[in-house]
């Protein structure tokens, strides 16, 4: 008679006869804790990500995504060691979530720049709602050519989260960041990189969807960092995170298809329907995701 400890996760059980109820029971006694960790504790079943015939969103997925994005922002706040004395430049600030989060948690100041007019307004509204409009502001500006109103050595720290990938001249963007940072100030930025040679069609889909030039490889980015006058302090591979996000975006796209169709119309949606599976494949198979931390020498 097989010892129950040789069943389940700890043995292959391939030649074993059907397990007895006692063996099934003791398997749950032993591995119940594992299910709690790898699945959740509300039940021990597969879950229904999309209801049959329905399109109701799997509503916890955006919650999970928001949690992951906030965790990423917090990690960067911690990595840069931001304090109440710091003024952060958020290069490519999106709708202002990370800048507002940084100012709230550190007590410091933040300025977000973006090339999207609607994002400037959304960022300002977010700062007002958080009661932080006196410490967080947003402006329309091109990171590759900031202009004189962004004075030399006027920021203590900067980050560019998922924004450099849009920019055609990485050296210009890095040079501008270096110029406006105080000596000893640090820039944290993320890069989408290529892990392997993609089919040109898939690369084209990525570039169209993400409005971007082709991704650079890490050694090229590193060369630009040095060329721009920074010292590299840290380089981390966070590719696994992108792989999960790629799957998640694809699932949520399908969950929200009706709303997407209503918002963008049939023609644009048909284009997106064709692009989404390719985008998912491209992220899963070809994209890398790196975090660079560079310091302006004193
Ligand atoms: N960093 C934000 C948003 C990422 S989306 C976040 O983490 O939530 C990419 C952002 O880069 C957008 O806000 C876009 O407007 C900005 N961006 C792209 N090219 C830019 C440029 N040349 N100058 C400034 N911002 C740019």
């Amino acid at each position: 008679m097989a010892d129950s400890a040789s069943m389940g996760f700890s043995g292959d059980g391939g030649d074993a006869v059907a397990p007895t109820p006692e063996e099934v029971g003791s398997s749950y006694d032993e591995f119940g804790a594992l299910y709690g960790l790898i699945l959740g504790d509300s039940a021990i079943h597969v879950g229904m990500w999309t209801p049959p015939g329905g399109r109701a969103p799997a509503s916890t997925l955006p919650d999970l995504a928001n949690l992951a994005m906030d965790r990423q922002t917090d990690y960067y706040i911690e990595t840069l060691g931001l304090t109440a004395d710091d003024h952060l430049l958020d290069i490519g600030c999106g709708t202002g979530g990370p800048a507002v989060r940084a100012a709230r948690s550190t007590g410091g100041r933040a300025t977000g720049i973006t090339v999207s007019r609607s994002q400037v307004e959304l960022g300002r509204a977010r700062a007002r709602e958080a009661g932080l409009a006196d410490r967080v502001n947003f402006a329309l500006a091109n990171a590759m050519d900031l202009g004189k109103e962004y004075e030399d050595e006027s920021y203590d720290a900067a980050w560019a989260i998922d924004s450099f990938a849009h920019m055609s001249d990485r050296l210009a963007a890095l040079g501008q960041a270096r110029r406006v940072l105080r000596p000893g100030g640090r820039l944290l930025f993320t890069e989408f990189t290529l892990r392997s040679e993609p089919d040109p069609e898939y690369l084209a889909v990525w570039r169209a969807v993400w409005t971007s030039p082709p991704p650079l490889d890490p050694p090229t980015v590193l060369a630009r960092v040095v060329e721009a006058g920074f010292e590299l302090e840290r380089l981390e591979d966070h590719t696994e995170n992108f792989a999960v996000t790629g799957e998640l975006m694809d699932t949520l796209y399908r969950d929200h298809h009706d709303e997407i169709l209503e918002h963008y119309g049939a023609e644009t949606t048909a284009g997106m329907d064709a692009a989404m599976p390719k985008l998912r494949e491209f992220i899963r198979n070809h994209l890398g995701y790196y975090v660079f931390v560079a310091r302006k020498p004193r």
Side-chain angles (χ1 to χ4, degrees):
M1 159 114 192
D3 174 359
S4 69
S6 70
M7 305 282 290
F9 286 97
S10 44
D12 80 330
D15 306 326
V17 291
T20 65
E22 289 74 20
E23 285 167 340
V24 173
S26 50
S27 162
Y28 276 103
D29 294 340
E30 189 175 0
F31 295 110
L34 181 74
Y35 287 125
L37 292 170
I38 65 173
L39 191 60
D41 54 16
S42 73
I44 317 174
H45 52 227
V46 164
M48 187 175 281
W49 299 101
T50 38
R55 288 232 175 250
S59 62
T60 59
L61 282 182
D63 294 344
L64 281 177
N66 282 321
L67 182 75
M69 291 194 288
D70 286 345
R71 182 180 290 143
Q72 180 182 6
T73 301
D74 291 345
Y75 182 74
Y76 295 165
I77 292 170
E78 204 177 297
T79 300
L80 285 175
L82 296 177
T83 72
D85 296 328
D86 290 330
H87 189 175
L88 170 75
L89 179 65
D90 184 346
I91 301 167
C93 60
T95 56
V100 166
R101 194 171 177 85
R104 187 169 43 214
S105 75
T106 65
R109 282 189 293 158
T111 294
I113 58 163
T114 168
V115 285
S116 155
R117 283 172 207 285
S118 63
Q119 288 185 341
V120 172
E121 294 312 318
L122 290 167
R124 286 178 182 159
R126 201 192 282 266
R128 271 197 307 276
E129 269 158 41
L132 292 172
D134 54 333
R135 287 196 278 126
V136 186
N137 53 72
F138 295 95
L140 197 67
N142 174 10
M144 294 180 286
D145 184 13
L146 282 175
K148 287 202 187 65
E149 63 272 34
Y150 294 84
E151 289 172 22
D152 292 0
E153 305 188 358
S154 55
Y155 294 92
D156 302 289
W159 68 30
I161 309 172
D162 300 4
S163 61
F164 275 3
H166 291 291
M167 300 184 203
S168 54
D169 187 343
R170 189 73 79 263
L171 186 57
L174 286 165
Q176 290 290 294
R178 183 187 180 280
R179 178 177 73 73
V180 300
L181 274 175
R182 66 164 166 77
R186 288 187 297 173
L187 165 71
L188 181 153
F189 65 97
T190 64
E191 283 285 355
F192 302 150
T193 62
L194 279 182
R195 281 189 281 133
S196 57
E197 199 59 46
D199 182 323
E201 188 197 339
Y202 281 66
L203 179 60
V205 167
W206 164 259
R207 291 190 53 188
V209 170
W210 190 249
T211 334
S212 63
L216 301 176
D217 55 30
T220 304
V221 177
L222 189 50
R224 298 286 177 274
V225 166
V226 173
E227 223 177 312
F230 279 108
E231 287 164 359
L232 185 75
E233 196 168 83
R234 204 151 146 181
L235 174 56
E236 294 178 5
D237 181 351
H238 289 208
T239 300
E240 283 169 35
N241 286 301
F242 211 161
V244 175
T245 305
E247 302 299 311
L248 183 110
M249 288 190 299
D250 191 66
T251 303
L252 288 180
Y253 180 83
R254 284 182 277 122
D255 282 351
H256 291 287
H257 197 265
D258 288 351
E259 290 145 273
I260 290 167
L261 185 61
E262 197 182 315
H263 190 104
Y264 290 99
E267 198 183 327
T268 303
T269 303
M272 295 195 285
D273 286 351
M276 283 308 285
K278 289 177 183 158
L279 183 68
R280 176 191 183 180
E281 286 298 304
F282 182 73
I283 293 172
R284 183 195 287 164
N285 296 327
H286 301 295
L287 267 190
Y289 187 57
Y290 285 83
V291 181
F292 289 75
V293 182
R295 184 187 285 275
K296 176 173 176 171
R298 282 180 202 282

